[in-house]
Amino acid sequence: LLKDDDPLHKVSIIPRGPMGGATFALPEKDRTIFTKRYCMALLQVCFGGRISEDVFCDDISSGAQSDIQQATKIARQMILTWGMSEQLGPISYGPDSALKDMMFIMPGEKEYSEKTAETIDSEVKKIANEAYKKAKELIEANKDKLERIAKALLKYETLDADDVKLILEGGELDKPTVSDLLAAEQAKNGESEKKSKTKSQKSE
């Protein structure tokens, strides 16, 4: 539903490492430039899982840990490096890469005051909260669609972009489930074994 984000590739509830499932985007091209609108869309995607827990389960869990870490990194990059804060303006507060190897730059030393550090933290929180609010509004306005996607995932485990688009447009998926495919494969193997035994008996 977000126009400024990369197009959806697929979404799955099959666990991958510490993740209970995952949503995959498919960039249309290699990105060397990141716009503020694109970054804000990324933040909204990161918060989608946590918001859905809150909206649908009336509770939150540690499952959103990696998403929150990713969102925090993006927000800090926007403020510290890319000058995307209205209050701080187009100023870089990240370490000067040209001075990284010089001995008089202490590891982790900040090149700004504590007051500026507080402003940076405030701006990071402001951007994150804005993205969270927009994502929550989007999810709450499309709860019925999200519920249909969730039910489809329980049935099919993985949906590609066309499947999700069909569901968002009010359509119904009509394709074999994983259980159907496994049952068909077992039936096929059973039929092959049966034919093999019959052929063997005839030859005897």
Side-chain angles (χ1 to χ4, degrees):
L1 296 175
L2 293 170
K3 296 179 181 179
D4 296 310
D5 188 29
D6 293 319
L8 177 70
H9 174 49
K10 67 178 179 178
V11 57
S12 175
I13 56 171
I14 298 174
R16 286 170 171 78
M19 298 184 296
T23 299
F24 302 92
L26 190 63
E28 295 177 311
K29 58 184 178 180
D30 292 334
R31 285 187 183 272
T32 55
I33 301 282
F34 298 88
T35 66
K36 186 175 181 179
R37 282 185 294 187
Y38 175 72
C39 291
M40 291 301 291
L42 284 181
L43 291 177
Q44 290 184 64
V45 171
C46 287
F47 290 135
R50 163 55 63 86
I51 293 168
S52 295
E53 286 182 332
D54 189 22
V55 171
F56 291 95
C57 305
D58 194 28
D59 198 2
I60 56 176
S61 75
S62 61
Q65 175 183 340
S66 61
D67 293 326
I68 292 172
Q69 289 175 338
Q70 180 71 5
T72 304
K73 288 179 182 177
I74 294 170
R76 293 194 68 82
Q77 187 87 332
M78 291 170 69
I79 301 301
L80 290 172
T81 309
W82 297 331
M84 293 181 178
S85 162
E86 293 180 6
Q87 186 169 346
L88 293 167
I91 299 174
S92 174
Y93 291 96
D96 189 337
S97 59
L99 300 177
K100 275 184 180 179
D101 299 326
M102 299 183 70
M103 293 184 65
F104 60 82
I105 298 295
M106 297 295 290
E109 182 180 352
K110 293 192 296 244
E111 298 177 5
Y112 44 82
S113 68
E114 286 301 319
K115 183 177 180 181
T116 299
E118 290 177 5
T119 304
I120 289 171
D121 289 341
S122 176
E123 286 294 278
V124 169
K125 186 176 181 180
K126 178 182 175 182
I127 282 180
N129 286 344
E130 181 183 343
Y132 191 97
K133 180 182 177 183
K134 288 182 177 179
K136 189 169 185 178
E137 289 173 352
L138 190 64
I139 287 174
E140 288 180 333
N142 293 275
K143 283 180 67 175
D144 57 331
K145 296 175 182 177
L146 192 56
E147 285 178 332
R148 291 205 302 271
I149 291 173
K151 289 178 181 178
L153 281 168
L154 289 172
K155 185 176 181 180
Y156 298 105
E157 298 185 354
T158 298
L159 303 175
D160 61 27
D162 290 336
D163 294 335
V164 174
K165 183 179 179 181
L166 179 63
I167 293 171
L168 291 176
E169 292 174 348
E172 294 289 337
L173 293 181
D174 184 19
K175 65 178 186 178
T177 65
V178 175
S179 298
D180 292 336
L181 294 172
L182 289 173
E185 188 65 24
Q186 289 175 349
K188 181 180 177 182
N189 291 336
E191 188 66 26
S192 297
E193 290 178 6
K194 184 178 179 181
K195 288 181 180 180
S196 178
K197 288 180 180 179
T198 302
K199 185 176 181 181
S200 176
Q201 289 173 351
K202 286 183 179 180
S203 62
E204 291 176 358

